[in-house]
Amino acid sequence: MEKRKLTLFERVALRVEDLLMTRLVPGDHPGIVFKWLFKIPIFFYRIGLPLFGSFILLLTTTGRKSGKPRHTPLEYHREPRTGLTIIMAGWGGNTDWRRNLQSDPRVRVQMGWHKFEAIAEPLSDAEVAAWMSDALKLNPKSAKIWSRWAGEPVSLAEPESVLRAARYFPSFRLKPMAE
């Protein structure tokens, strides 16, 4: 990950996320209230105002049971080496969107105004750990959130702790399909 400074907006967003994820959101699942709150960006995407497009994408999967489109807003980052989009599942991967991807990896993605079809490819634990290490350099407070879900301290000082934690955060690379 390239060395860069966070914007004021990004710093505020990260502080709010740190507060929510370490103190208010249950550790084993988002709970009904936060499940709805986390879906707020869908409203803005639907009305044509993708306000969060620089850091939250809208992922559309196919429901594994219903076959219907399922929309999920997710934080994302760009893989520096390839420029591809990376998404990560929280709660130990116990999320509907991740289970839908396992059933059908073909997705639709909207990032701001940009829309594309993609294939979601799982990352290895080593790849996830490398990304987590880079993210910890940018925002060391993420260690609290990840430690909570991994059930053990996660620290850059102990690289093996990051690798052990990676298995609790299934991640995917979104490879655009040829148009």
Side-chain angles (χ1 to χ4, degrees), residues 10 22 33 49-50 61-63 71 75 80 86 104 107 146 151 166 168:
E10 289 171 324
T22 58
V33 172
L49 293 172
T61 59
T62 302
H71 309 289
E75 285 186 55
I86 304 295
D104 184 355
V107 297
W146 293 337
Y168 294 99

Side-chain angles (χ1 to χ4, degrees), residues 8-160:
L8 176 62
F9 181 75
E10 289 171 324
R11 287 192 310 267
V12 169
L14 285 172
R15 284 190 181 164
V16 169
E17 178 182 52
D18 291 339
L19 172 72
L20 284 172
M21 301 309 270
T22 58
R23 300 208 175 131
L24 301 175
V25 177
D28 57 345
H29 60 82
I32 192 72
V33 172
F34 286 103
K35 190 172 185 175
W36 284 101
L37 282 175
F38 292 154
K39 293 195 177 271
I40 288 173
I42 295 172
F43 169 76
F44 288 100
Y45 270 104
R46 283 192 177 153
I47 65 171
L49 293 172
L51 301 176
F52 309 101
S54 62
F55 62 96
I56 295 179
L57 60 75
L58 186 62
L59 182 76
T60 304
T61 59
T62 302
R64 65 194 176 285
K65 294 177 185 174
S66 69
K68 294 179 181 177
R70 301 295 182 202
H71 309 289
T72 308
L74 296 170
E75 285 186 55
Y76 71 92
H77 79 277
R78 294 288 193 164
E79 190 174 39
R81 183 177 51 83
T82 65
L84 295 175
T85 304
I86 304 295
I87 54 176
M88 176 187 280
W91 290 281
N94 188 23
T95 61
D96 287 330
W97 70 263
R98 188 204 47 89
R99 288 189 292 264
N100 289 344
L101 283 184
Q102 286 183 308
S103 176
D104 184 355
R106 294 170 299 165
V107 297
R108 279 171 287 165
V109 180
Q110 183 175 353
M111 298 167 49
W113 301 106
H114 181 62
K115 297 178 184 181
F116 61 96
E117 305 278 327
I119 297 289
E121 295 181 347
L123 271 62
S124 69
D125 287 349
E127 289 173 306
V128 174
W131 178 81
M132 289 172 72
S133 294
D134 288 343
L136 284 170
K137 291 172 190 166
L138 194 60
N139 182 26
K141 291 182 179 186
S142 294
K144 275 181 153 178
I145 298 168
W146 293 337
S147 296
R148 184 177 182 209
W149 283 333
E152 68 174 275
V154 175
S155 169
L156 277 176
E158 295 181 44
E160 60 278 354

